[in-house]
Amino acid sequence: MPDTILLEREGGLLTLRLNRPDKKNALTRAMYSRLAEALELAGNDPQINAVLISGSAECFTAGNDIADFLEQPPSDLDSPVFHFMLNLLECRKPVIAAVAGAAVGIGTTLLLHCDLVYVSRDARLRMPFVNLGLCPEFGSSLILPRLLGQAKAAQLLLLGEGFSGEQAAQWGIATQALDSGEAALSKAREMALRFDDLPTEAVRISKQLMRAPDRELLRKAIEHEGALFTQRLRSPEALAALTGFIKRH
Ligand code: COA
């Protein structure tokens, strides 16, 4: 079976490449575990200065694997998806994301916890949690209303409307929108490699300072959302929507 998370080293950069093209890089429990481990490794390895999370030039990720949601839903904070997201939140090294094509569900949520995000203009981001009978996750119910205002956040989180990479950059969800998927991946790599030339300790302290004011609030929001999300996964609304997706494919 091909490796669904490819780890690549280049100088002080560790790239975590999502590699499940036949399923649009949908994330399984095994993939979350591998991502969680890699982030922990990067945090503890003094030779690693930055982490880049990317998919391909055609697709970032279709979000959580829907069959996994039905067969092995996360039940508590000890589940692989929580390990991954908490390691992302706590990562001491800068995390950069390169996004092209679809970034659905957690594929958009995780961007809110990256330090720099490069997207293709025509990337398609969406958080269809309500549409699937679920609710926002991993701090998005806290971060998005603050970033965008309630009215715009409701468009994304209550209606579950999709938006482009171009809009993501205009709204401050992404750092910069580029003309193509290839350009987004290449820009993200270029900027991630810049950390090899920056003073490591100054970067670490600055990232910590930028994150510190909201840290506790965010942790509480994530726990609250997580408890509701795991309940929602067993709700008749979610089960109908998720089995509907499986039947259509
Ligand atoms: N979980 C499991 N499988 C998924 C998946 C997911 N989240 N998203 C896509 N796939 C699979 C499809 O079942 C299909 O597999 P098959 O070829 O064996 O039938 C394959 O990936 C290709 O998907 P398809 O829908 O044909 O591709 P597309 O280019 O038309 O659309 C998406 C891409 C990402 C827009 C669309 O697949 C989608 O909306 N996926 C669901 C996203 C979602 O709701 N995620 C969960 C959020 S909480």
Side-chain angles (χ1 to χ4, degrees):
M1 203 172 82
D3 205 344
T4 49
I5 304 289
L6 301 176
L7 268 50
E8 295 159 1
R9 281 290 296 269
E10 181 182 7
L13 176 62
L14 177 68
T15 298
L16 316 182
R17 195 180 300 281
L18 313 179
N19 182 40
R20 200 183 171 214
D22 54 321
K23 295 288 179 188
K24 301 282 168 187
N25 291 337
L27 294 159
T28 60
R29 287 165 57 93
M31 290 165 79
Y32 288 128
S33 293
R34 185 98 169 107
L35 289 167
E37 269 168 35
L39 284 170
E40 196 171 338
L41 177 148
N44 294 329
D45 184 340
Q47 305 300 320
I48 295 178
N49 296 323
V51 179
L52 173 60
I53 302 180
S54 81
S56 68
E58 287 76 41
C59 182
F60 186 56
T61 170
N64 202 101
D65 187 283
I66 291 188
D68 250 25
F69 258 165
L70 285 164
E71 287 156 22
Q72 296 184 296
S75 53
D76 55 38
L77 294 180
D78 207 24
S79 304
V81 62
F82 284 97
H83 287 177
F84 162 54
M85 287 301 281
L86 294 178
N87 286 0
L88 175 61
L89 233 77
E90 299 293 336
C91 190
R92 289 193 292 269
K93 310 290 168 69
V95 182
I96 298 92
V99 179
V104 190
I106 197 163
T108 295
T109 307
L110 75 85
L111 303 179
L112 305 174
H113 301 289
C114 293
D115 299 295
L116 293 160
V117 177
Y118 296 92
V119 287
S120 63
R121 266 181 228 297
D122 62 357
R124 291 167 290 118
L125 296 88
R126 192 171 171 224
M127 290 167 287
F129 298 113
V130 164
N131 314 67
L132 291 171
L134 302 169
C135 66
E137 51 166 11
F138 297 109
S140 55
S141 66
L142 175 72
I143 297 170
L144 285 172
R146 285 176 160 202
L147 188 63
L148 308 175
Q150 290 290 346
K152 184 56 80 181
Q155 186 186 342
L156 308 191
L157 288 177
L158 296 187
L159 295 175
E161 279 193 13
F163 54 104
S164 67
E166 174 118 53
Q167 286 170 311
Q170 277 163 7
W171 296 339
I173 292 172
T175 309
Q176 191 181 343
L178 287 299
D179 284 338
S180 67
E182 290 292 353
L185 264 59
S186 149
K187 184 76 178 179
R189 175 183 159 271
E190 178 196 336
M191 302 320 266
L193 282 167
R194 281 223 188 152
F195 288 100
D196 279 352
D197 299 323
L198 288 166
T200 318
E201 218 22 40
V203 169
R204 188 185 65 75
I205 291 169
S206 303
K207 171 167 176 165
Q208 195 185 29
L209 284 169
M210 288 167 75
R211 304 262 164 188
D214 284 339
R215 202 156 172 263
E216 273 318 297
L217 205 56
L218 200 52
R219 274 203 162 264
K220 284 208 177 80
I222 290 173
E223 273 177 34
H224 192 199
E225 290 167 335
L228 293 169
F229 193 97
T230 49
Q231 278 173 28
R232 294 295 319 159
L233 273 171
R234 294 187 293 272
S235 69
E237 287 177 345
L239 292 174
L242 297 170
T243 45
F245 176 87
I246 298 287
K247 279 185 189 146
R248 283 194 302 278
H249 281 79

